[in-house]
């Protein structure tokens, strides 16, 4: 989107022609202050021509213009447009943008906790809200003509991605879909699937960054370019000065070895310390590279960084900017109770903002987070220390992005950043219309190779992979709407199955080639004397039996040898049968190990001392005699070894000769029978027997490989439908579906169909068994929280919960979960997450009216990790489930009334701030 340049007569003619062909696009662009880029024009023209569109472009390229054009078309046609986003913050941001353009009367907002003007012709919503509308057959779908799915690449998210595919598959055929995605390497594949399930869809891919991105590394206080020029192959060349600088720094601060694996810093040298955040900020400021986003990958790290910068005394804002910041902060936080400001850290947070610093992460209070976003977009916050959640759709571009590390914690382990994650994070650098270039800076740490950074920065392969899989709520809704067979067919149309089927195309071709080769091998091993395949099978059985007997004998001999070693005692004389230590030896220490095989310590007649193992004894060992040993034997003393060797020789004991032959393979009856059958077979006398056998062996190996490939194809094709069938069986057993020839949804199933969440079936079971009946509002909130809360880390302490009805209801919930878990194991289904009571006590106290400070202080003293932002987020999720319970059982029932009262009790103070 560039400023409008002067046009040549030819360009003016083409523009006039385009206006006549796309009059709505001409009207839409007439009020814009910039010229559309070619990819935007292509997508908008396709949309006006009646096509669906998929637009893949880098962050900041302006793909949302296509979504806004869909809004324009809907208003021009007197129809509706739903604009969906993956997260509430992005929905709020887009709602504000559209209200500014079209007015509040034409634009609505629907998220989990906000409902504004839901009957408007343009409604911004989270994707889950639209999915729920489709399953419920909402009247709001009447007149719907366009659906914009912003950040559609979210369908790869392993937790929520299925929702995007559900929407795409369930939208009425006449609705035109506008899919906006970050750059992915398989856009064509995704587009082909959209054509298959949605009809005519134009795929528009633009990989050009509107603002060039420069890659740097900061080594100590010095910032250097990562690339300089190109190599002969046209690839970006790593800066040789950077490599030399890193080598020098590494040598300067290298640790020296001091023997036995120990290391210490070299004399007169210290360990390397990366630049402090204050030094880094001042370096960026001096180079004109602010505002910047610094990705830290740790909530605590983000907050500590802001505190460090605020305490340093550094100020990045003028007095005029401070005045504007205070005005915005006051407006954004006016709903926060004054008594909670202290526990929220409000004054320290505001002071840091006024200095130009802020943190941004999922644990931040929503009001604080939204304030930071507005101030950063306005250029009033110069440095934001953020976790990777900031990169997920929020429009917060910066001039510079800094990565403190190339490793992040994914909830299970510390893992390296992928090329896709690196691109997503650094894609925030460069503000269109403001910056002429963006900058990505990686802070060098010992062990970071510039080649690794170059690989991340230059990789352009980020495939979009579906995470779609059927669940319980989805299953009952599909059966209710379509019936079992049609539902199976719909699942076969998912992008997940589309990709799975494509993945086996090459395998299927290989199977066909193998089958052709097998026919040729079978012909080559044909014998005129008889069935050579039968003869080859006898040979294979004979070989397998010989190997099996050899393994059995080897295992038995080892076990016998180990048992004999365990019987040895100090002073026993034994014979080592073979090897360099063969001959007589005295046992100094039996070396018994309760956790492993014995390893006796011996001295041999040639004065060698050391430990033996089972491998030194192919047969059981026996004591040949005993000698009296001194109380202390020093095997390190040459004199001691000499004396014991002399004692051994003077005993007169000699090593035994080899005993009689042990029973072996030739004694096996099955083996003997196979040998007789082999010799009796007609093909045994064929002159070309060995040639035929070689072809038979090739046939056997290729047939085994082909069978493995066929099993892989069978497991992949129709995999979602088979999973759906297993879910239906479980739901039928539990009376959510009625298995009477053609399945129907029961009364319990209709309840399940209106419960959305990770633990949907467990919630339905709790309703069905009356677990929540008779609880008061605070108790209900506490028990319900176990189905939505998930601790960020495993705690060594058992969660504290209110005694009495809450404890009993949680125990019943755990029993229901255990039974469900066993059924899921039996049906080979993914397990429902175990209820987590870690939030029961905080939400119970809050619902009873206690202050935020008391609730958070009590949680901290109980060992819970709970920030104010986390507290608000979990409260809102509890509210969401309570609202669902009220809707399912009815507000006039006792449980429904209790749920409604619990919602009212929770939705106060900081929890209510920012919602309507």
């Amino acid at each position: 989107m560039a400023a409008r340049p002067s046009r040549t007569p030819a360009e003016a003619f083409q523009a006039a022609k385009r206006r006549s062909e796309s009059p709505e696009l001409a009207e839409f662009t007439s009020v814009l202050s910039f010229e559309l880029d070619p990819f935007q024009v292509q997508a908008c023209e396709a949309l006006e021509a009646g096509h669906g569109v998929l637009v893949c472009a880098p962050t900041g390229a302006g793909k949302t213009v296509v979504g806004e054009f869909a809004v324009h078309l809907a208003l021009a046609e007197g129809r509706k447009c739903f604009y969906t986003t993956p997260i509430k913050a992005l929905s709020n941001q887009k709602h504000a943008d559209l209200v500014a353009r079209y007015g509040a009367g034409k634009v609505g907002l629907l998220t989990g906790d906000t409902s504004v003007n839901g009957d408007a012709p343009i409604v911004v919503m989270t994707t889950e809200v639209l999915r729920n509308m489709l399953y419920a057959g909402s009247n709001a779908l009447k007149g719907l003509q366009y659906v914009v799915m912003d950040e559609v690449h979210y369908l790869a998210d392993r937790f929520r991605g299925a929702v995007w595919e559900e929407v795409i598959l369930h939208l009425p055929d006449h609705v035109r879909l506008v899919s906006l995605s970050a750059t992915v390497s398989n856009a064509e594949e995704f587009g082909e699937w959209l054509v298959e399930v949605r009809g005519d869809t134009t795929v528009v891919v633009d990989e050009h960054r509107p603002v060039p991105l420069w890659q740097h590394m900061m080594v100590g206080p010095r910032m250097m370019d990562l690339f300089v020029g190109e190599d002969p192959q046209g690839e970006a060349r790593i800066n040789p000065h950077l490599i030399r600088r890193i080598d020098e720094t590494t040598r300067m601060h290298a640790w020296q070895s001091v023997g036995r694996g120990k290391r210490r810093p070299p004399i007169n040298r210290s360990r390397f310390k990366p630049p402090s955040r204050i030094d880094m900020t001042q370096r960026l400021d001096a180079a004109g590279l602010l505002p910047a986003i610094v990705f830290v990958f740790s909530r605590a790290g983000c907050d500590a960084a802001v505190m460090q910068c605020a305490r340093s005394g550094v100020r990045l804002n003028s007095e005029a900017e401070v005045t504007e910041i205070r005005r915005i902060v006051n407006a954004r936080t006016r709903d926060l109770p004054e008594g909670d400001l202290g526990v929220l850290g409000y004054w320290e947070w505001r002071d840091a903002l006024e200095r130009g610093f802020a943190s941004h992460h999922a644990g931040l209070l929503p009001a604080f987070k939204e304030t930071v976003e507005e101030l950063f977009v306005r250029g009033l916050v110069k440095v934001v220390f953020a976790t990777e959640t900031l990169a997920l759709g929020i429009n917060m571009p910066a001039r510079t992005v800094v990565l403190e590390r190339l490793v992040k914690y994914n909830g299970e382990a510390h893992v390296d950043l992928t090329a896709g994650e690196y691109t997503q994070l650094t894609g925030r650098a460069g503000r269109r219309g403001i910056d002429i270039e963006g900058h990505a800076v990686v802070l060098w740490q010992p062990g970071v190779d510039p080649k690794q950074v170059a690989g991340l920065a230059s990789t352009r392969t980020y495939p979009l992979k579906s995470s779609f899989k059927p669940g319980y709520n989805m299953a009952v809704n599909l059966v209710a709407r379509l019936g079992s067979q049609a539902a199976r067919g719909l699942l076969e149309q998912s992008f997940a199955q589309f990709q799975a089927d494509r993945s086996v195309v090459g395998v299927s071709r290989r199977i066909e080639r193998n089958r052709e080769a097998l026919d040729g091998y079978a012909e080559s091993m044909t014998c005129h004397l008889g069935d050579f395949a039968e003869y080859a099978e006898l040979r294979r059985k004979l070989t397998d039996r010989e190997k099996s007997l050899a393994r059995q004998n080897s295992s038995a001999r080892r076990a016998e040898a180990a048992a004999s070693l365990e019987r040895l005692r100090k002073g026993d004389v034994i014979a080592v049968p073979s090897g360099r230590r063969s001959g007589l030896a005295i046992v100094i220490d039996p070396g018994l190990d309760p956790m492993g095989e014995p390893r006796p310590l011996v001295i041999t007649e040639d004065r060698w001392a050391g430990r033996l193992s089972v491998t030194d004894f192919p047969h059981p060992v026996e004591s040949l005699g005993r000698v009296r040993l001194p109380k202390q034997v020093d095997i390190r003393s040459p004199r001691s070894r000499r004396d014991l060797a002399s004692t051994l020789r003077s005993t007169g004991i000699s090593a035994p000769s080899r005993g009689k032959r042990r029973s072996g393979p030739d004694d096996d009856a099955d083996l003997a029978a196979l040998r007789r059958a082999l010799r009796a077979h007609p093909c045994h006398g064929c002159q070309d027997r060995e040639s035929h056998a070689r072809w038979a062996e090739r046939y056997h190996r290729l047939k085994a490989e082909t069978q493995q490939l066929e099993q892989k194809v069978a497991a992949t094709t129709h995999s979602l439908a088979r999973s759906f069938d297993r879910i239906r069986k479980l739901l039928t057993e539990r009376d959510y579906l009625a298995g009477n020839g053609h399945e129907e949804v029961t009364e319990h199933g209709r309840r399940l169909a209106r419960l959305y969440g990770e633990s949907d079936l467990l919630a339905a079971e709790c309703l069905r068994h009356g677990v929540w009946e008779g609880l008061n509002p605070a108790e209900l909130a506490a028990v319900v929280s176990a189905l939505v809360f998930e601790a960020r880390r495993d705690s060594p302490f058992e969660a504290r919960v209110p005694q009495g009805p809450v404890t009993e209801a949680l125990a019943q919930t755990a029993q229901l979960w255990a039974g469900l878990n066993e059924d899921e194991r039996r049906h080979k289904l993914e397990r429902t997450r175990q209820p987590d009571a870690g939030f029961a006590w905080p939400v119970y106290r809050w619902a009873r009216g206690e202050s935020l400070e008391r609730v958070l202080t009590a949680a901290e003293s109980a060992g819970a990790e709970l920030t104010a932002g986390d507290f608000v987020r979990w409260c809102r999720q509890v509210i969401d489930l309570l609202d669902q319970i009220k809707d399912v059982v009815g507000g006039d029932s006792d449980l429904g009334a209790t749920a409604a009262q619990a919602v009212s009790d929770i939705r106060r103070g900081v929890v209510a701030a920012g919602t309507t």
Side-chain angles (χ1 to χ4, degrees):
M1 294 179 289
R4 294 181 180 274
S6 58
R7 294 173 175 171
T8 65
E11 289 171 338
F13 172 77
Q14 287 297 326
K17 182 180 178 183
R18 186 170 287 152
R19 282 196 300 272
S20 65
E21 293 173 349
S22 305
E24 290 300 335
L25 178 58
E27 182 179 339
F28 175 73
T29 57
S30 66
V31 298
L32 301 179
S33 59
F34 51 84
E35 192 83 25
L36 294 187
D37 288 341
F39 85 91
Q40 295 167 321
V41 172
Q42 180 187 355
C44 289
E45 287 179 343
L47 194 56
E48 187 169 358
H51 307 292
V53 294
L54 166 64
V55 183
C56 296
T59 300
K63 51 186 175 285
T64 54
V65 166
V66 183
E68 290 166 3
F69 180 58
V71 171
H72 170 87
L73 286 175
L75 291 174
E77 298 168 9
R79 309 286 284 178
K80 285 185 177 181
C81 175
F82 289 170
Y83 197 114
T84 72
T85 71
I87 51 181
K88 295 174 185 177
L90 192 55
S91 292
N92 294 336
Q93 198 172 60
K94 181 52 64 177
H95 174 255
D97 293 344
L98 294 175
V99 165
R101 178 160 186 174
Y102 297 109
K106 294 183 179 179
V107 184
L109 175 66
L110 295 176
T111 63
D113 50 29
T114 305
S115 177
V116 179
N117 199 16
D119 295 326
I122 309 301
V123 184
V124 182
M125 62 184 68
T126 49
T127 315
E128 280 85 354
V129 170
L130 178 54
R131 186 272 311 271
N132 298 352
M133 279 185 177
L134 289 167
Y135 279 152
S138 171
N139 289 329
L141 297 170
K142 292 179 180 178
L144 180 63
Q145 186 66 33
Y146 298 92
V147 167
V148 180
M149 300 195 78
D150 204 353
E151 310 286 345
V152 75
H153 53 270
Y154 251 75
L155 64 77
D157 184 89
R158 65 192 181 110
F159 297 111
R160 300 170 55 213
V163 177
W164 274 254
E165 289 191 52
E166 287 180 84
V167 168
I168 292 170
L169 291 170
H170 286 297
L171 277 174
D173 292 341
H174 70 272
V175 174
R176 270 178 258 173
L177 189 64
V178 181
S179 305
L180 309 179
S181 171
T183 306
V184 293
S185 56
N186 60 335
E188 288 75 15
E189 178 188 41
F190 186 44
E192 287 175 26
W193 174 69
L194 286 173
V195 169
E196 191 170 292
V197 298
R198 300 295 312 164
D200 195 1
T201 302
T202 300
V203 179
V204 180
V205 178
D206 182 58
E207 297 185 357
H208 172 72
R209 272 186 59 96
V211 180
L213 179 64
W214 292 89
Q215 305 280 348
H216 312 277
M217 290 189 73
M218 186 175 285
V219 185
R222 188 173 176 188
M223 191 165 72
M224 307 179 70
D225 290 341
L226 176 61
F227 298 116
V228 287
E230 296 180 346
D231 61 19
Q233 288 74 38
E235 298 291 332
R237 186 163 63 97
I238 299 176
N239 185 354
H241 300 296
L242 170 64
I243 295 175
R244 187 159 54 248
R245 172 79 175 180
I246 289 175
D247 289 343
E248 292 171 354
T249 305
T250 301
R251 285 195 300 271
M252 183 181 302
H253 298 280
W255 283 49
Q256 294 179 330
S257 174
V258 294
R260 291 189 176 271
K262 297 180 180 179
R263 299 164 69 86
R264 70 181 181 197
I267 299 172
N268 298 326
R269 298 187 219 173
S270 60
R271 293 186 65 181
F272 174 80
K273 291 184 179 179
S276 71
R277 286 152 176 161
I278 299 160
D279 293 338
M280 176 195 65
T281 299
Q282 293 177 326
R283 173 73 180 83
L284 294 175
D285 190 23
L289 297 182
L290 297 182
I293 299 171
V294 182
F295 285 107
V296 178
F297 303 128
S298 159
R299 294 182 180 187
C302 291
D303 294 337
V306 172
M307 190 178 300
Q308 181 185 9
C309 293
R311 288 176 177 173
S312 70
V314 174
R315 285 190 175 273
L316 302 175
N317 284 330
S318 66
E319 285 300 321
E321 288 174 322
V322 168
T323 301
E324 180 64 8
I325 287 170
R326 286 183 180 172
R327 184 189 67 78
I328 294 172
V329 167
N330 290 338
R332 282 280 187 177
T333 60
R334 63 177 178 269
D335 293 337
L336 296 179
E338 192 170 343
D340 292 338
L341 297 182
V343 69
L344 293 173
Y346 170 86
W347 305 108
E348 297 84 353
W349 170 74
R350 194 183 78 168
D351 177 65
L353 291 178
E354 292 175 0
R355 293 175 181 274
F357 301 98
S359 63
H360 189 287
H361 53 73
L364 211 58
L365 193 71
F368 285 10
K369 193 189 301 183
E370 291 162 10
T371 305
V372 170
E373 290 164 5
E374 180 177 351
L375 292 176
F376 192 78
V377 169
R378 288 172 175 254
L380 297 172
V381 166
K382 304 302 192 297
V383 180
V384 167
F385 296 95
T387 58
E388 70 271 22
T389 54
L390 186 144
L392 302 178
I394 296 296
N395 183 25
M396 280 183 65
R399 180 167 296 167
T400 304
V401 163
V402 180
L403 300 181
E404 285 197 344
R405 294 182 181 275
L406 297 177
V407 174
K408 70 168 189 174
Y409 186 71
N410 67 358
E412 298 174 354
H414 287 88
V415 296
D416 292 334
L417 285 181
T418 65
E421 289 168 336
Y422 181 90
T423 300
Q424 187 177 45
L425 296 170
T426 57
R428 292 285 165 199
R431 298 165 296 175
R432 189 163 193 176
I434 301 175
D435 301 321
I436 59 173
E437 58 191 23
H439 300 268
V441 181
V442 174
L443 298 189
W444 182 80
Q445 307 264 2
V448 174
D449 187 345
K451 293 179 182 177
Q452 175 194 5
V453 182
L456 293 172
S458 56
T459 300
R460 290 291 177 266
T461 304
Y462 326 113
L464 182 63
K465 294 182 180 179
S466 171
S467 61
F468 182 80
K469 56 189 174 185
Y472 300 120
N473 171 278
M474 185 193 301
V476 291
N477 274 298
L478 287 175
V479 172
R481 293 188 67 207
L482 306 171
S484 299
Q485 293 309 309
R488 266 180 127 260
L490 186 74
L491 291 172
E492 296 278 12
Q493 297 176 35
S494 68
F495 187 46
Q497 194 63 60
F498 183 83
Q499 287 189 309
D501 291 345
R502 281 198 158 198
S503 71
V504 300
V505 169
V507 179
S508 298
R509 292 196 187 112
R510 188 172 169 187
I511 290 172
E512 289 302 316
R513 289 196 297 269
N514 285 3
R515 286 172 178 163
E516 292 174 6
L518 286 170
D519 292 340
Y521 291 173
E523 185 177 343
S524 297
M525 70 178 186
T526 302
C527 178
H528 67 288
L529 295 177
D531 186 348
F532 200 89
E534 183 181 74
Y535 179 76
E537 182 64 21
L538 280 173
R539 285 177 64 136
R540 251 187 320 276
K541 287 181 178 179
L542 180 64
T543 301
D544 291 344
R545 184 60 183 168
E546 288 173 339
K547 290 179 179 178
S548 174
L549 289 172
R551 284 194 298 270
Q552 289 175 15
N553 287 335
S554 174
S555 176
R557 284 196 299 272
R558 185 183 182 94
E560 290 175 6
S564 69
L565 289 177
E566 289 176 356
R567 291 192 291 269
L568 294 178
R569 295 294 179 263
K570 185 176 180 180
D572 281 345
V573 177
I574 62 173
V576 182
S578 59
R580 289 186 303 162
R581 312 302 175 196
S582 62
L584 296 177
I586 301 176
V587 177
I588 307 301
D589 172 33
L592 299 179
D593 181 359
M595 302 301 292
E597 293 177 332
R599 298 196 65 210
L601 176 65
V602 302
I603 292 179
T604 64
E605 55 189 338
D606 61 1
R607 305 180 189 178
W608 177 83
R611 291 194 180 275
L612 301 175
S613 68
V614 173
T615 56
D616 293 307
F617 299 93
H619 305 294
V621 64
E622 295 179 359
S623 174
L624 305 177
R626 290 179 64 82
V627 297
R628 190 178 183 87
L629 296 177
K631 290 184 178 180
Q632 299 294 331
V633 177
D634 185 3
I635 63 172
R636 291 174 294 183
S637 166
R639 180 176 178 179
S640 178
R641 292 198 304 272
R642 185 184 67 232
D643 291 346
L644 285 171
S646 177
T647 301
L648 179 60
R649 285 192 295 271
S650 66
T651 61
I653 299 173
S654 58
S657 58
R658 297 189 63 179
K660 62 180 182 179
R661 184 179 67 86
R662 298 169 59 88
S663 63
D666 291 339
D667 302 316
D668 183 71
D670 291 341
L671 189 65
L674 284 170
R675 285 173 174 168
R676 286 194 300 271
L678 191 73
R679 287 192 293 268
H681 197 282
C683 293
H684 192 66
C686 180
Q687 293 182 342
D688 297 323
R689 182 184 66 195
E690 294 308 312
S691 174
H692 294 330
R694 285 192 292 273
W695 283 109
E697 181 59 28
R698 292 171 189 164
Y699 180 92
H700 176 71
R701 284 199 304 265
L702 188 61
K703 186 174 182 180
E705 176 193 311
T706 304
Q707 287 174 340
Q708 287 182 339
L709 294 174
E710 288 171 341
Q711 289 171 1
K712 179 181 179 181
V713 170
T716 303
T717 53
H718 311 297
S719 54
L720 289 179
R722 287 197 300 273
S723 177
F724 176 63
D725 291 341
R726 293 195 295 271
I727 288 173
R728 284 166 46 215
K729 287 179 181 177
L730 185 149
L731 292 175
T732 301
E733 286 179 5
R734 286 180 167 261
D735 197 30
Y736 289 89
L737 294 175
N740 50 3
H742 60 282
E743 288 166 346
E744 294 179 356
V745 178
T746 66
E747 179 183 353
H748 299 307
R750 285 189 287 274
R751 281 185 166 186
L752 174 58
R754 297 166 63 189
L755 291 169
Y756 301 95
E758 189 181 1
S759 301
D760 47 10
L761 183 53
L762 182 56
E765 286 288 286
C766 289
L767 281 176
R768 179 180 178 181
H769 290 86
V771 173
W772 298 330
E773 299 287 348
L775 300 175
N776 66 37
E779 292 167 344
L780 179 62
V783 177
V784 161
S785 73
L787 272 61
V788 297
F789 178 73
E790 186 173 9
R792 296 183 65 225
R793 294 181 179 86
D794 291 335
S795 173
F797 308 105
E798 187 174 349
R800 184 185 174 194
V801 298
Q803 296 300 308
V806 172
T807 303
E808 295 171 8
L810 285 172
Q812 292 178 53
T813 303
Q815 287 179 347
L816 291 174
W817 170 81
L820 174 59
N821 196 259
E822 176 58 28
D823 282 354
E824 290 169 331
R825 184 199 60 76
R826 182 165 49 84
H827 286 283
K828 298 179 181 178
L829 293 170
E830 185 174 335
R831 312 289 199 276
T832 296
R833 181 177 59 81
Q834 185 173 2
D836 188 336
F839 193 61
W841 191 248
V843 75
Y844 175 79
R845 299 182 70 152
W846 180 255
R848 289 177 57 188
E850 295 189 26
S851 69
L852 180 66
E853 182 175 10
R854 290 192 63 182
V855 170
L856 295 183
T857 302
E860 184 179 0
S861 63
E865 183 183 348
L866 193 66
T867 67
D870 285 331
F871 174 76
V872 171
R873 181 163 56 90
W874 290 121
C875 277
R876 291 181 177 178
Q877 291 202 29
V878 172
I879 286 173
D880 182 51
L881 181 52
L882 288 169
D883 275 333
Q884 292 182 40
I885 293 169
K886 181 195 68 177
D887 293 340
V888 166
V889 302
D892 53 350
S893 68
D894 290 342
L895 179 58
T898 303
Q901 186 58 51
V903 168
S904 177
D905 292 343
I906 298 172
R907 188 177 281 147
R908 63 181 179 86
V910 292
V911 178
T915 64
T916 54

